């Protein structure tokens, strides 16, 4: 019999590693770090593939200045991103919101992966059961053996 006790341990280690990797409690320390961190989540209004933190365009500088002003006014990251999305549209955010229909962007890949793993596990289990059933003797075979030994 194979040992299945190691699978829960592997799953636990993987879950802890994923939890540690996605935690956002490592807040930037200085104002510039906070501005850069928020601007990294906002698309430059005039550039195609750069964030407002990476771009040198005047529009990106204006976005960074707006973020700095709002941080000094005491607004949170969520409030600032909400303001920018309201002013420029939701397309300015590099990360879609995880609510409503946009939440499907985050949920569907995970659900698809879990369904694929479940389907693979089902196929492997059925094959093992089929191989085990085919390898064992049937009742007719047992009867023939008993007849041969009885004679």
């Amino acid at each position: 019999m194979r040992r299945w006790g190691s699978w829960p341990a592997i799953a636990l280690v993987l879950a802890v590693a994923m939890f540690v990797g996605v935690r956002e409690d490592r807040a930037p320390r200085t104002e510039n770090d906070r501005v850069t961190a928020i601007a990294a989540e906002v698309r430059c209004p005039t550039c195609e593939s750069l964030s407002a933190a990476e771009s040198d365009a005047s529009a990106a500088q204006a976005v960074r200045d707006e973020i700095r002003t709002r941080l000094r006014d005491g607004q949170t990251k969520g409030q600032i991103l909400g303001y920018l999305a309201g002013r420029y549209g939701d397309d300015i955010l590099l990360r879609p919101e995880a609510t409503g229909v946009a939440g499907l962007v985050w949920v569907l890949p995970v659900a698809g992966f879990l369904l694929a793993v479940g389907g693979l596990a089902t196929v492997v289990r059925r094959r093992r059961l089929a191989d085990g059933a085919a390898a064992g003797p049937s009742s007719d075979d047992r009867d023939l053996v008993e007849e041969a030994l009885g004679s």
Side-chain angles (χ1 to χ4, degrees), residues 136-147:
S138 67
S139 61
D140 292 335
D141 292 338
R142 287 189 186 124
D143 291 340
L144 286 173
V145 169
E146 285 180 20
E147 279 182 32

Side-chain angles (χ1 to χ4, degrees), residues 69-76 79:
T69 301
R70 292 184 175 277
L71 280 174
R72 287 180 181 163
D73 290 343
Q75 290 188 5
T76 64
Q79 290 171 327

Side-chain angles (χ1 to χ4, degrees), residues 24-125:
E24 291 189 25
D25 66 346
R26 293 174 248 131
R29 298 176 189 253
T30 66
E31 182 181 269
N32 285 337
D33 290 343
R34 293 176 65 201
V35 169
T36 303
I38 295 172
E41 296 186 25
V42 177
R43 181 174 284 115
C44 172
T46 57
C47 306
E48 286 198 23
S49 62
L50 293 176
S51 71
E54 299 169 324
S55 175
D56 291 331
S58 60
Q61 182 60 45
V63 168
R64 290 192 299 268
D65 291 342
E66 184 68 34
I67 292 170
R68 180 173 279 105
T69 301
R70 292 184 175 277
L71 280 174
R72 287 180 181 163
D73 290 343
Q75 290 188 5
T76 64
K77 175 182 165 183
Q79 290 171 327
I80 295 169
L81 292 176
Y83 166 77
L84 292 171
R87 182 171 178 193
Y88 295 102
D90 288 336
D91 291 340
I92 197 166
L93 300 179
L94 292 175
R95 290 187 196 175
E97 292 183 28
T99 59
V101 176
L104 293 176
V105 171
W106 299 100
V107 173
L108 286 178
V110 174
F113 175 75
L114 292 176
L115 285 172
V117 168
L120 184 63
T122 302
V123 167
V124 168
R125 183 173 178 231

